Amino acid sequence: MHVPDTPLSFPSRPDDLITARPEGLYCPPGDFYIDPWRPVDRAVITHAHSDHARTGHGHYLAHQDSRGTLQTRLGEIALQTVGYGEGIVHNGVRISLHPAGHVLGSAQVRLEHAGRVWVASGDYKTEPDGTNTPFEPVPCDTFITESTFGLPIYRWPTQEQLFRDIDAWWRANAEAGRASVLLCYAFGKAQRILHGVDASIGPIVVHGAVEPLNAVYRAAGVALPPTLRVTDPGVTPALLKRALVLAPPSAQGTPWMRRFGNYSDAFASGWMQLRGTRRRRNVDRGFVMSDHADWPGLQKAVAGTGAERVFVTHGSVAVMVRWLTENGLEAQGFKTEYGDEDVADAPAPTEQTPPQGPE
Ligand SMILES: [Zn+2]
Ligand SMILES: [Zn+2]
């Protein structure tokens, strides 16, 4: 398969609303950045994952549902928040945030200035999952999209199928008297699993890294079943044999896991769709689950904006740019320092076909 060279930064035009700077995505007329990776005075933050929300900025603007997660991760910051669709004007640029369907408070950033409209998507997912406001396409001239899973092989199971599979695995383990340890990211995935599983199967125990984020989701009105910590009274070895245990991937192989005895383990990630990932993670089961759009979702999202010009930030940049170009759009890659909460699980580039774009 031939993959054309991808320009890593695009030649900016004098009237571009967003350009590349070493600090991050920059809006020249507004004099602010979007998800900058180096400290700046003013930052608009799409969501609280660590590669998009960093410490050290002078002022932060984010969605109101990101307040709790940003403060959990960054401590006290100078933060202004807005609701979805609520516009504010800064240096003549109208800024508004729109649902991205990725994690609680995640937003696309819409900029309007002198008759032009640009939208920077941040990370997004097109299928609703019940734990955050569903993605909405925002009409624009120019769209900046992620492409974490921008290869045709990535097609997610429906929510319904995913939770049927997770529930069946948990139920079978509970009947056999062993704990079900599901490794997943503490912010976003863990709450989505809690919201989606059948809590009547047994008790649910969470790692200490997960519970503070559960509290933020509950405070935002997201329905989550009761959760226990291993230190809670009443959490006995007998109870653990029927439990679903949610822990971050970093807990794998640590002494914290010993209390679960002869448990079954699983990993929830979009990368589980790739052959070999489950074996490499050394777990019994892999569940294909992502906070990002799959290949059909990315295509639907781009088409939904009506944009004529598209920039691709992270993930399978070259493949996505080629697809967009073949479909008559003006498309280019855009070098950023965004990774992803899932990138730690991503296979080495040599294991992937076709090759990945830069990250
Ligand atoms: Zn993210
Ligand atoms: Zn990201």
Side-chain angles (χ1 to χ4, degrees):
M1 194 174 198
H2 173 71
V3 178
D5 291 342
T6 305
L8 294 183
S9 58
F10 53 92
S12 57
R13 299 174 188 167
D15 62 350
D16 277 351
L17 279 191
I18 297 174
T19 60
R21 285 224 178 154
E23 296 87 350
L25 306 180
Y26 180 67
C27 175
D31 189 25
F32 58 82
Y33 289 83
I34 298 171
D35 292 351
W37 44 85
R38 292 190 197 164
V40 302
D41 183 30
R42 289 186 176 274
V44 181
I45 301 297
T46 61
H47 66 290
H49 275 145
S50 55
D51 55 324
H52 294 258
R54 305 191 191 221
T55 51
H57 308 312
H59 302 83
Y60 292 75
L61 176 70
H63 185 265
Q64 60 202 26
D65 284 347
S66 281
R67 181 178 289 280
T69 47
L70 285 171
Q71 286 174 342
T72 300
R73 308 211 124 187
L74 304 181
E76 279 309 311
I77 51 173
L79 174 64
Q80 180 186 357
T81 61
V82 289
Y84 289 125
E86 186 186 328
I88 63 163
V89 177
H90 184 75
N91 292 339
V93 178
R94 188 177 185 280
I95 308 166
S96 55
L97 304 181
H98 303 266
H102 176 61
V103 291
L104 184 67
S106 63
Q108 306 175 75
V109 181
R110 180 187 185 275
L111 303 182
E112 183 175 353
H113 181 257
R116 283 160 299 126
V117 176
W118 286 48
V119 170
S121 69
D123 292 340
Y124 64 91
K125 174 171 59 58
T126 47
E127 192 191 8
D129 66 35
T131 64
N132 55 67
T133 310
F135 176 89
E136 283 173 20
V138 181
C140 56
D141 320 314
T142 304
F143 185 51
I144 300 178
T145 184
E146 60 136 323
S147 187
T148 305
F149 291 102
L151 293 175
I153 55 165
Y154 293 113
R155 285 161 204 272
W156 308 147
T158 61
Q159 281 270 112
E160 206 189 354
Q161 182 63 52
L162 172 68
F163 283 105
R164 237 193 336 258
D165 290 350
I166 293 175
D167 286 345
W169 168 74
W170 178 16
R171 194 175 289 114
N173 289 330
E175 282 167 5
R178 58 176 177 255
S180 302
V181 178
L182 182 46
L183 300 167
C184 58
Y185 281 87
F187 168 31
K189 280 219 183 73
Q191 292 74 34
R192 193 175 153 197
I193 291 166
L194 288 170
H195 181 79
V197 291
D198 176 0
S200 72
I201 297 171
I204 302 176
V205 174
V206 299
H207 187 275
V210 175
E211 193 57 25
L213 293 152
N214 292 347
V216 172
Y217 272 67
R218 287 186 179 113
V222 179
L224 302 181
T227 45
L228 295 163
R229 300 280 307 274
V230 288
T231 49
D232 285 346
V235 177
T236 59
L239 178 144
L240 292 177
K241 285 181 194 301
R242 294 180 295 115
L244 173 68
V245 180
L246 300 185
S250 57
Q252 195 178 19
T254 66
W256 189 83
M257 305 286 278
R258 280 191 207 131
R259 70 193 82 229
F260 304 116
N262 178 31
Y263 58 84
S264 175
D265 54 8
F267 202 96
S269 167
W271 303 109
M272 287 296 154
Q273 187 132 48
L274 282 184
R275 194 192 302 256
T277 313
R278 183 192 62 77
R279 193 178 57 244
R280 210 164 31 78
R281 290 293 324 194
N282 194 25
V283 288
D284 300 328
R285 280 292 296 269
F287 295 108
V288 179
M289 176 183 178
S290 179
D291 304 333
H292 296 265
D294 61 3
W295 176 250
L298 289 166
Q299 297 183 336
K300 198 173 82 176
V302 170
T305 66
E308 292 168 356
R309 210 171 159 209
V310 179
F311 296 111
V312 183
T313 56
H314 56 316
S316 301
V317 175
V319 174
M320 193 64 181
V321 165
R322 187 182 55 185
W323 182 84
L324 292 164
T325 307
E326 283 171 1
N327 283 274
L329 299 176
E330 191 185 335
Q332 280 174 295
F334 186 11
K335 188 163 174 48
T336 69
E337 293 186 17
Y338 304 138
D340 177 73
E341 69 285 354
D342 266 355
V343 158
D345 310 312
T350 49
E351 289 180 57
Q352 299 194 7
T353 50
Q356 285 270 293
E359 296 201 328

